[in-house]
Amino acid sequence: MLSPFEVTAGADRGYGALNSNSITRFNVELERMPVSADIINEALDSNPDQQRYILIRRETSFVLVPADEKIDPTLVPRVAVEDLERRGSTEVVSLVISLTTAVAEDIAPELKKLMGKYGDVVPLGRANQLVLQDTAGNLKRLLRIVKEMEERDA
């Protein structure tokens, strides 16, 4: 069983692994890592006989958390909608969207049903906004659904 840990960007030049049970890190900007994060997340969350984990890519660090526990929202990076394309499909992120015609409190329960195991939705009633947390892949799909709802209600 792994203990939660954090890898922080620093001045080192990277290091290599000597076996297949290790992770190799190179001195690369974290925003250039979405595909690598997807590969790591699929491996960490795929074996039902072992503890599963999810790798969260923050601005300057990675955090490894148990996949079967609710993720502390303070660990999840908040991204802009346009930045979702720079995230791997399995990366957990959160974002805030403003609604124009739909009502946040009305559609939040419907969206929650469509979310994955890392998903959460918080309606902000006074601002008519939604705080969405899930994998980037699921959030892209949910944003298309919200756009269709907004267009239909217009």
Side-chain angles (χ1 to χ4, degrees):
M1 175 185 264
L2 290 173
S3 299
F5 70 90
E6 184 171 337
V7 176
T8 306
D12 65 310
R13 303 315 272 169
Y15 53 86
L18 298 177
N19 63 55
S20 63
N21 294 325
S22 301
I23 297 173
T24 303
R25 181 194 165 278
F26 296 98
N27 198 12
V28 176
E29 298 85 16
L30 293 180
E31 62 268 5
R32 294 179 51 202
M33 300 282 294
V35 173
S36 298
D38 275 347
I39 293 168
I40 294 168
N41 277 333
E42 287 175 17
L44 290 171
D45 195 22
S46 65
N47 190 342
D49 298 330
Q50 296 178 356
Q51 173 70 46
R52 296 182 191 177
Y53 292 91
I54 187 82
L55 185 72
I56 297 177
R57 180 169 58 110
R58 298 166 52 103
E59 188 173 331
T60 60
S61 65
F62 292 102
V63 180
L64 190 66
V65 296
D68 58 350
E69 297 176 12
K70 183 170 173 51
I71 298 174
D72 179 351
T74 63
L75 296 176
V76 179
R78 177 79 39 92
V79 299
V81 172
E82 56 272 10
D83 292 334
L84 274 180
E85 292 303 321
R86 289 188 236 150
R87 295 291 179 152
S89 295
T90 63
E91 289 189 66
V92 178
V93 296
S94 72
L95 54 84
V96 178
I97 59 170
S98 297
L99 303 172
T100 53
T101 58
V103 178
E105 291 94 344
D106 293 346
I107 68 169
E110 294 178 44
L111 293 177
K112 177 65 178 164
K113 293 175 187 174
L114 300 172
M115 294 180 136
K117 64 182 175 180
Y118 307 115
D120 198 15
V121 58
V122 177
L124 305 175
R126 296 180 91 184
N128 202 32
Q129 295 177 319
L130 294 170
V131 180
L132 303 171
Q133 174 185 299
D134 207 343
T135 62
N138 283 346
L139 289 176
K140 291 174 196 175
R141 182 178 50 83
L142 288 172
L143 288 175
R144 287 191 297 272
I145 292 169
V146 169
K147 182 179 179 183
E148 290 172 9
M149 292 171 116
E150 292 263 283
E151 289 171 353
R152 185 190 65 224
D153 293 343

